[in-house]
Amino acid sequence: MELRQFEHFLAVVRTGSFTGAAREAHVVQSALSASVRKLESELGAPLFERTTRRVMLTEAGRALLPVANRVVADVDAARSEVSAVAGLTRGAVAVGTIQALTVVDLPRELGVFRTRHPGVRIHVRDGTVPDLANAVADGELDLAYLAADGPLREDLVSFAQWSQRLVLVSYPGHRLAHRRRVRLGELDGEPFVGFTGSVLQMMIGRRFADAGIRYHQVCEATHVPLLVELVAAGLGVTIVPLRVAERSGLPFATLERPAFTRTIHLAGRVEEPVNPAARALLAHLTRGSS
């Protein structure tokens, strides 16, 4: 099996079609299709279900996906290792982040890093904690900022961590809008706007359940700006990081009994990243952190 076959397989997965994959890989479609068919033949199983409308992974394809990601990532790391001799004049690094990252100004830090290593390509991806954690473990991402309400996954390494304070955000005219401190018990049955699929959402649910308080979610959002807009429109209250609340311009209050905080980790797959660009970015992001 050749690296090109894995790259073509992943291109089809990313684009959802052989036409799009060929365009991304800069090859003719017939050559890319032949490459994937050869990989299927060598593995002894079809990797895609092909219909006239779409291309979907088979069970075998889903099983191959994390392995293919690791193979390509390891080869990219090897190429980057060679380029490190030239002082990172070439290379690539991929970093993930949760949407509500407030403990680090990641765009500014990446801007500084880019001026120091202009030859390094930087890929940034946001997402939910489970998706980002899986992407790090599978080799799709070199590093990621992850939120946790407990220990980090055992298959990941934490290079640095921060405590992130969470507050209650309401809207003008809400019964708690004038308050600066709110006890958790005062939120029993209060309409909430939630953040779909997030660790924060699960954390809030657990905290309410542990306190014997009913968590009444009436609306969900898929990203932070929309979450804030829904609260501003009066659909309900929400719990977000302090700096998100400060930027929203909406009334917010400190939560008490219990206080709300969570841990943010800068995480990776191994203690010492193989990719030299990832090592350089890690050193940049962790200087002065605790």
Side-chain angles (χ1 to χ4, degrees):
M1 286 174 279
E2 302 174 0
L3 174 64
R4 183 176 64 254
Q5 293 172 314
F6 289 111
E7 291 175 334
H8 290 168
F9 165 74
L10 292 175
V12 177
V13 174
R14 282 192 298 271
T15 62
S17 73
F18 282 82
T19 301
R23 188 180 304 115
E24 179 183 289
H26 303 293
V27 298
V28 295
Q29 184 175 336
S30 59
L32 184 135
S33 298
S35 175
V36 173
R37 283 197 302 271
K38 183 178 179 183
L39 180 61
E40 291 175 319
S41 175
E42 291 174 353
L43 291 173
L47 302 175
F48 296 102
E49 293 181 14
R50 300 164 173 83
T51 68
T52 56
R53 293 188 175 183
R54 58 188 302 189
V55 176
M56 297 181 297
L57 283 171
T58 62
E59 285 297 320
R62 282 190 285 272
L64 176 65
L65 184 57
V67 178
N69 276 317
R70 284 196 294 270
V71 168
V72 173
D74 287 343
V75 171
D76 286 344
R79 289 170 176 163
S80 295
E81 192 70 49
V82 174
S83 73
V85 177
L88 287 173
T89 56
R90 298 184 307 280
V93 60
V95 59
T97 178
I98 54 173
Q99 291 186 34
L101 181 68
T102 61
V103 296
V104 174
D105 186 346
L106 184 59
R108 184 181 70 81
E109 294 295 344
L110 293 179
V112 173
F113 179 80
R114 183 81 172 83
T115 61
R116 295 174 180 173
H117 305 288
V120 175
R121 291 180 294 108
I122 304 171
H123 171 70
V124 185
R125 166 178 162 187
D126 70 21
T128 64
V129 171
D131 287 343
L132 295 175
N134 288 336
V136 173
D138 291 340
E140 296 176 41
L141 295 173
D142 296 294
L143 304 167
Y145 285 94
L146 307 175
D149 188 27
L152 198 61
R153 277 175 38 169
E154 292 183 356
D155 59 344
L156 300 180
V157 176
S158 178
F159 299 112
Q161 61 185 58
W162 300 261
S163 178
Q164 188 181 52
R165 181 181 166 195
L166 306 170
V167 298
L168 177 76
V169 176
S170 59
Y171 49 87
H174 186 269
R175 66 183 180 87
L176 299 174
H178 66 288
R179 298 276 296 277
R180 291 295 169 261
R181 297 181 182 277
V182 174
R183 295 188 305 275
L184 194 61
E186 297 179 78
L187 301 176
D188 190 12
E190 181 71 32
F192 264 80
V193 179
F195 191 12
T196 306
S198 70
V199 166
L200 176 58
Q201 187 72 29
M202 293 184 285
M203 169 187 167
I204 294 169
R206 282 196 299 269
R207 296 284 180 90
F208 273 62
D210 290 345
I213 299 168
R214 184 166 61 100
Y215 178 62
H216 180 41
Q217 182 174 290
V218 299
C219 185
E220 285 186 312
T222 55
H223 57 84
V224 173
L226 178 59
L227 180 74
V228 171
E229 289 176 4
L230 292 170
V231 173
L235 275 77
V237 299
T238 195
I239 295 174
V240 295
L242 172 61
R243 292 185 186 176
V244 173
E246 290 173 337
R247 291 194 294 261
S248 73
L250 296 173
F252 64 90
T254 298
L255 286 162
E256 297 181 329
R257 302 180 191 175
F260 266 60
T261 61
R262 65 176 180 173
T263 302
I264 306 297
H265 295 269
L266 175 56
R269 183 161 51 123
V270 291
E271 293 281 355
E272 179 78 8
V274 176
N275 179 359
R279 287 202 301 271
L281 180 59
L282 175 62
H284 174 74
L285 294 174
T286 55
R287 73 189 192 287
S289 62
S290 58

